[in-house]
């Protein structure tokens, strides 16, 4: 199994895992914020989750149309649900674009 080359603080690691579980958050958003490609996220998830949880997550991701920008509907313009509370640890979203 390959290793993710970077070490992340616990706070960032928790946020990456949270984003990976969220249906509306595409892998491209994780790549933008944490510079991790989809393959790296899969490696990280396999390392951090229990085997059963990882299998469940992989099955969910494979069947989820919103996890990949190229598969999602053009009608979806946001990474998170409009009813989701603000995310305080999201570094990139707080920067001026």
């Amino acid at each position: 199994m390959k290793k993710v080359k970077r070490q992340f603080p616990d706070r960032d690691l928790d946020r990456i895992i949270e984003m990976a579980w969220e249906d509306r958050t595409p892998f491209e958003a994780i790549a933008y914020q944490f510079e991790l490609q989809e393959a790296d996220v899969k490696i990280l998830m396999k390392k951090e989750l229990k085997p059963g949880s990882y299998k469940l997550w992989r099955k969910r991701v494979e069947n989820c149309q919103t996890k990949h920008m190229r598969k999602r509907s053009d009608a979806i313009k946001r990474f998170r649900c409009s009813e989701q509370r603000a995310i305080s640890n999201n570094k990139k979203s707080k920067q001026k674009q």
Side-chain angles (χ1 to χ4, degrees):
M1 178 169 94
K2 288 185 178 181
K3 284 189 168 184
V4 176
K5 297 172 185 107
R6 291 179 45 203
Q7 294 293 323
F8 293 95
D10 288 343
R11 189 165 98 179
D12 288 349
L13 186 61
D14 289 345
R15 182 64 189 132
I16 293 166
I17 292 170
E18 182 181 11
M19 290 174 78
W21 269 105
E22 293 169 348
D23 287 341
R24 283 186 163 253
T25 305
F27 286 112
E28 291 84 356
I30 298 170
Y32 176 76
Q33 185 170 348
F34 294 101
E35 299 174 355
L36 283 176
Q37 298 305 314
E38 180 178 348
D40 297 326
V41 174
K42 290 176 182 175
I43 292 167
L44 187 137
M45 294 293 277
K46 189 169 191 173
K47 178 182 168 230
E48 296 296 325
L49 299 178
K50 294 177 185 176
S53 297
Y54 175 75
K55 288 177 187 175
L56 179 68
W57 175 76
R58 286 289 290 133
K59 184 177 180 179
R60 181 176 169 155
V61 167
E62 286 177 16
N63 296 321
C64 186
Q65 296 295 317
T66 57
K67 285 306 278 185
H68 300 88
M69 293 294 285
R70 67 186 176 278
K71 290 183 182 178
R72 66 180 9 199
S73 165
D74 290 335
I76 300 173
K77 303 287 187 211
R78 63 176 68 223
F79 290 151
R80 63 183 174 87
C81 175
S82 61
E83 296 176 3
Q84 181 178 350
R85 62 185 164 81
I87 299 168
S88 60
N89 298 330
N90 193 344
K91 292 181 255 179
K92 294 279 186 175
S93 69
K94 292 180 181 179
Q95 294 177 355
K96 291 189 177 189
Q97 302 296 326

